[in-house]
Amino acid sequence: MLTVALALIAAAELAAVVVLSVLLIRTRRTAGELQTQLETAKRPMPRTAAGRAMKAVVGTAVRMRDQGVGEFLAGSLEDLTRWGTEDRAEIVRLAAPDGTITVFFSDIEESTTLNERLGDDEWVRVLGAHEKLVRGCVDKQDGHVVKSQGDGFMVVFPDPRSGVLAAVDVQKALTDRAPRRLRRTAVKVRIGLHVGPVVSRDGDYFGRNVALAARVAAHARGGEILVSDELRAALDGAAGFELSPVGEVELKGLTGVHALWQVRSQV
């Protein structure tokens, strides 16, 4: 009997050892799987094109919500001057033989109100359609986009006629062939242009020309194109345009009064 009892005890101990071994193996396997999952979770997500696009969209929406839009033309003279120096080499390259460059500013009228009404997601889509339209018109006239910010554009052209043609094309495109999203939102763009020297011996005269063009655009209404008196004179009666005097106005941050002209296409 003693021998049988000892055999039973030994068998029970062996079974217990086997069970414990199996449990230990399973526990180690589970711990390994959990460690792998943890390490995977810590890895950065792949930077796919879709991921970058979504990040850009979200970033734009957040900036618009936090900072607002429609401030492009109301930037300080320091900001406007800095924008003019950010792409100076390309601007100088595009200058006319007489050393002048035509500066074009545009933005969407009442953009802050539209953003609030549409919400960030739809507003980002509207901005995308607007940007595509403006860049298409600019490219046709060999313009160069120096800066785009939200709903605003700063563009330079080698001559006044090219700049005005691009401005007219933007307004016509919004009226005649705008994408459905822009028509449905009733987007209206205001545009201002000025022409002046790229460089000057006495200080950064080009920075003043950039600021003047921005302030001219700020005086325009949606759907309107305004130009400075210097640009009107530089057009020198070019065919295809009708210019009407708006009057003399003061421009924020600039001394004196400035004559402005409204441009209409005769084509």
Side-chain angles (χ1 to χ4, degrees), residues 107-108 129-130 133-134 137 167-179 182-183 186-191 223:
D107 79 345
I108 297 175
H130 165 256
L133 184 148
V134 172
C137 297
V168 169
D169 197 23
V170 168
Q171 301 297 16
K172 282 189 173 182
L174 287 169
T175 302
D176 301 337
R177 59 180 191 275
L182 295 182
R183 294 198 307 270
V187 165
K188 293 184 178 181
V189 172
R190 51 184 183 164
I191 302 174

Side-chain angles (χ1 to χ4, degrees), residues 170-242:
V170 168
Q171 301 297 16
K172 282 189 173 182
L174 287 169
T175 302
D176 301 337
R177 59 180 191 275
R180 182 181 303 174
R181 176 164 275 114
L182 295 182
R183 294 198 307 270
R184 186 171 62 238
T185 311
V187 165
K188 293 184 178 181
V189 172
R190 51 184 183 164
I191 302 174
L193 300 98
H194 173 64
V195 63
V198 174
V199 293
S200 171
R201 294 178 181 176
D202 302 319
D204 187 10
Y205 192 73
F206 179 62
R208 177 182 179 279
N209 291 323
V210 171
L212 201 154
R215 300 304 189 235
V216 170
H219 269 271
R221 298 187 298 271
E224 191 174 42
I225 303 168
L226 295 184
V227 301
S228 66
D229 197 49
E230 291 86 348
L231 194 140
R232 176 204 59 80
L235 282 175
D236 194 24
F241 308 119
E242 177 187 343

Side-chain angles (χ1 to χ4, degrees), residues 39-60:
E39 291 175 354
T40 301
K42 290 180 179 179
R43 294 173 189 165
M45 293 295 289
R47 291 183 61 81
T48 62
R52 288 193 296 270
M54 179 58 68
K55 183 178 179 180
V57 168
V58 172
T60 300

Side-chain angles (χ1 to χ4, degrees), residues 44-237:
M45 293 295 289
R47 291 183 61 81
T48 62
R52 288 193 296 270
M54 179 58 68
K55 183 178 179 180
V57 168
V58 172
T60 300
V62 168
R63 285 195 302 274
M64 288 188 297
R65 184 175 60 249
D66 293 346
Q67 301 172 5
V69 294
E71 300 299 325
F72 193 67
L73 304 181
S76 68
L77 295 183
E78 291 77 12
D79 285 341
L80 294 168
T81 299
R82 188 182 71 253
W83 297 346
T85 61
E86 286 179 356
D87 207 0
R88 191 61 171 265
E90 182 65 14
I91 293 170
V92 171
R93 187 188 70 80
L94 284 173
D98 64 357
T100 61
I101 196 84
T102 296
V103 186
F104 163 120
F105 272 89
S106 73
D107 79 345
I108 297 175
E109 184 180 52
E110 300 293 341
S111 56
T112 302
T113 302
L114 287 174
N115 184 19
E116 292 174 351
R117 176 166 64 85
L118 296 173
D120 289 341
D121 291 345
E122 179 61 20
W123 180 239
V124 167
R125 296 185 182 95
V126 167
L127 289 181
H130 165 256
E131 178 172 2
K132 183 177 180 180
L133 184 148
V134 172
R135 286 185 181 272
C137 297
V138 167
D139 289 345
K140 287 180 186 178
Q141 302 301 328
D142 297 324
H144 173 69
V145 175
V146 176
K147 190 172 186 68
S148 62
Q149 179 176 301
D151 63 310
F153 279 85
M154 174 188 169
V155 187
V156 292
F157 295 88
D159 62 88
R161 189 170 187 276
S162 296
V164 174
L165 282 173
V168 169
D169 197 23
V170 168
Q171 301 297 16
K172 282 189 173 182
L174 287 169
T175 302
D176 301 337
R177 59 180 191 275
R180 182 181 303 174
R181 176 164 275 114
L182 295 182
R183 294 198 307 270
R184 186 171 62 238
T185 311
V187 165
K188 293 184 178 181
V189 172
R190 51 184 183 164
I191 302 174
L193 300 98
H194 173 64
V195 63
V198 174
V199 293
S200 171
R201 294 178 181 176
D202 302 319
D204 187 10
Y205 192 73
F206 179 62
R208 177 182 179 279
N209 291 323
V210 171
L212 201 154
R215 300 304 189 235
V216 170
H219 269 271
R221 298 187 298 271
E224 191 174 42
I225 303 168
L226 295 184
V227 301
S228 66
D229 197 49
E230 291 86 348
L231 194 140
R232 176 204 59 80
L235 282 175
D236 194 24

